[in-house]
Amino acid sequence: MSDTNEVLFTITRDKLNTGLRSFPVGTVRTSFVDPIEGLHYVGYPISQIWHLDPEAAVYLLLHKELPTDAQLADFKADLVARSAVDPAVLDMLSHLPRQGHPMEWLIAGLNLMGMTGKTDDYIEDGLNAIARLPTIVAAIYRIRSGWGAPIPSEPERGLIENFVHMLGVPGGNADNLTRLLRVFYVLHLDHGGGNLSTFAAKAVASTLSDTYASLGAGMAGLYGPRHGRANQDCLNFLKRVGTTDPDEVEAWIRQALANKELIFGFGHAVLRAEDPRATIQYGLGQDICPDDPLFKTALAMRERAVKVLKENPKISNPYPNVDAISGTLLQAVGLDDSDYYTVLFGLSRCSGITAQIIDERVNFRNGKGVAIYRCKYITEDQPRRDYKG
Ligand code: MLT
C-alpha cells in the first residue's frame, strides 16, 4: 500500500509558469511514457503492440486487458452497431466555411454530434464517439477538399478499413493507406495523462460537461502548433530542406539553427531518447516508401539533426519524436495535404482521451470521480489598492 502522504514533487518558485512541467496532478491507468523506452499502453511497450488491431488497442485502453478473440469480436460488433452518424450532422458540416482549418471542423463536428446525439452517460457517449468519428473525419476530408459527397459507411469492414473506404482518396493506394493508418491510429491513441489535449479534455469533463464538449476542448488543444499541429508543420519544414544528401542536410540544419529556426520533429517534454512511435514509423517507411525523396530526407534528418543538436549541451532531447516522420509517410501513400494531418491524429487521440475521461468520471475514487480541476495560481504584481472613486 503506498504512503498517501508521500512527497511526490517539490514546487519551488522557479517551477511556476513552466506549464505544469512534471507536476503530478492525478493518476492514469491507460498509458505511461518512460523517458527512455517511451509509450506503454497499460504496461505493454508500444514497440511490442503497435501492430495490434486498432479495435484491440482501444479495448486495451478501455478495459485494461487485451481482448480475447471473442471479446474483440463483440467489441467490434458493438462499435458497428453504434457507428451511424445523424445525417443532419453531415449536412451541417457541408455548410462550414472551407477556409476553416480541418481541426476547427473537427471541433465543430464533435459539438454537432453532442447537440444531436448525446446521452450524458460517459461510457455510452465515449463509445459512440469512438465508433462515429471515422465517418466525421472522412466527411471533413471529402467535403472540405472538394472530393465529393461523403461515401456511405460500411462499418463491418473495421474501424480503419471503413475509414479508408469512406475517404475514397483520389488515386490513393488503399492497401498502403490502410496499412499505414492502422498503425498511425494505434500509435497516436494515448500518451500518458498529462499531454495537453488529454489534460484539457479531462479538466473540462471534471465540470461534468459531456464527452463531446470535453473532446472538443481536447481537440482545440491538439490544434496548436506546439501539440498535434506539429505533424503538419514538420512535413512543411522537411519539404523546405530540399535535398536527400546527408551532408547537405547537415549544412541546412546548421544554417537553420544559425538563423534561430526551430528544427521541427525533434525533442519532447518527457522523452529523452528517440520516440518509439517514430522508430516504428521509420521501419514502416522502409517497407511502404523506401524510395520516396521526402522519406530519404527524413532519414538524413534523423541521423544528422541528432548529431548537430547533441552539440548543444542545453538541449535535453535531441531525438526525433512522432511528428518527425508521420507526415512523410502520409504524403507517400497519397494524403499529401498536410492541413489534414492533425485531424488524423485527433481521430485516434479522441479514443484514448475517451478512455481516460471514463476512468476519471466513472472509475476513480471508488466511482465518485475526480473532483473539478481547480489549481492554484500565485499572485504576482497585484498589490492591494483602494479604489478612490
Ligand atoms: C502526444 O502524443 O501527446 C505528444 O507527444 C505530446 C505529449 O506527450 O506531451
Side-chain angles (χ1 to χ4, degrees):
M1 176 104 177
S2 53
D3 174 4
T4 49
N5 289 322
E6 182 190 355
V7 176
L8 294 171
F9 187 69
T10 312
I11 299 174
T12 46
R13 194 165 273 275
D14 62 329
K15 296 206 172 74
L16 300 178
N17 294 332
T18 60
L20 295 173
R21 198 61 52 89
S22 305
F23 284 41
V25 172
T27 60
V28 58
R29 292 181 185 164
T30 54
S31 68
F32 67 86
V33 181
D34 176 85
I36 304 299
E37 288 168 11
L39 176 61
H40 293 64
Y41 288 158
V42 200
Y44 294 102
I46 193 68
S47 57
Q48 293 176 11
I49 57 165
W50 60 271
H51 55 273
L52 281 182
D53 239 354
E55 290 91 334
V58 175
Y59 184 100
L60 173 64
L61 298 183
L62 288 168
H63 297 278
K64 320 301 184 260
E65 288 296 342
L66 286 168
T68 63
D69 288 349
Q71 285 166 333
L72 182 57
D74 286 349
F75 184 58
K76 286 184 176 186
D78 185 36
L79 292 180
V80 169
R82 296 172 180 279
S83 65
V85 169
D86 185 333
V89 171
L90 299 182
D91 181 53
M92 285 184 278
L93 282 178
S94 72
H95 297 289
L96 294 183
R98 293 272 173 99
Q99 66 267 34
H101 189 277
M103 284 302 283
E104 295 180 288
W105 282 50
L106 178 60
I107 296 161
L110 282 160
N111 283 317
L112 290 170
M113 283 203 289
M115 284 186 254
T116 54
K118 69 171 163 292
T119 66
D120 281 326
D121 176 304
Y122 287 106
I123 298 176
E124 281 300 304
D125 283 343
L127 289 169
N128 288 343
I130 292 169
R132 295 172 192 173
L133 272 166
T135 304
I136 297 293
V137 174
I140 290 173
Y141 248 103
R142 290 193 64 75
I143 298 167
R144 188 177 172 281
S145 305
W147 288 351
I151 295 173
S153 171
E154 294 178 8
E156 293 79 9
R157 288 171 179 259
L159 209 64
I160 295 303
E161 291 74 2
N162 185 33
F163 177 59
V164 171
H165 154 75
M166 289 187 288
L167 276 179
V169 181
N173 173 330
D175 286 346
N176 272 349
L177 250 178
T178 306
R179 192 167 163 213
L180 174 61
L181 288 179
R182 277 172 62 92
V183 177
F184 185 96
Y185 185 85
V186 172
L187 295 184
H188 287 82
L189 281 169
D190 211 39
H191 211 236
N195 70 80
L196 190 280
S197 47
T198 306
F199 175 70
K202 292 186 298 186
V204 170
S206 79
T207 67
L208 303 189
S209 198
D210 68 87
T211 297
Y212 295 99
S214 305
L215 289 175
M219 291 304 100
L222 197 73
Y223 176 35
R226 291 206 180 163
H227 192 12
R229 202 172 0 141
N231 58 9
Q232 163 178 350
D233 292 341
C234 199
L235 183 78
N236 298 332
F237 173 77
L238 266 188
K239 282 184 177 164
R240 283 178 43 219
V241 178
T243 172
T244 58
D245 177 76
D247 291 335
E248 287 176 19
V249 169
E250 181 173 331
W252 196 94
I253 295 165
R254 290 188 188 280
Q255 188 57 52
L257 287 171
N259 296 345
K260 306 248 176 292
E261 283 192 59
L262 198 66
I263 306 298
F264 285 88
F266 289 76
H268 191 275
V270 179
L271 291 164
R272 295 293 172 264
E274 181 170 290
D275 187 338
R277 300 173 298 175
T279 312
I280 291 159
Q281 292 183 88
Y282 286 122
L284 196 60
Q286 298 286 9
D287 279 356
I288 291 182
C289 55
D291 301 321
D292 182 87
L294 267 180
F295 181 61
K296 288 186 173 167
T297 304
L299 289 180
M301 286 289 291
R302 181 192 196 186
E303 184 198 322
R304 298 303 175 95
V306 175
K307 176 184 163 205
V308 174
L309 293 172
K310 269 187 175 171
E311 291 167 7
N312 181 347
K314 288 196 192 132
I315 296 180
S316 50
N317 175 10
Y319 299 102
N321 60 47
V322 69
D323 303 315
I325 179 68
S326 56
T328 302
L329 302 192
L330 291 169
Q331 62 84 37
V333 296
L335 295 175
D336 47 18
D337 188 343
S338 63
D339 277 4
Y340 289 88
Y341 293 172
T342 313
V343 281
L344 299 174
F345 188 162
L347 168 65
S348 163
R349 185 54 58 90
C350 278
S351 301
I353 294 176
T354 292
Q356 292 203 32
I357 288 179
I358 291 173
D359 280 343
E360 289 217 352
R361 302 284 23 105
V362 182
N363 299 330
F364 284 2
R365 296 171 86 212
N366 296 324
K368 249 185 1 187
V370 171
I372 182 171
Y373 282 38
R374 180 54 170 103
C375 42
K376 179 181 170 88
Y377 276 72
I378 308 295
T379 310
E380 184 183 2
D381 286 341
Q382 298 183 64
R384 288 193 186 280
R385 298 188 248 202
D386 286 321
Y387 179 63
K388 295 270 169 20

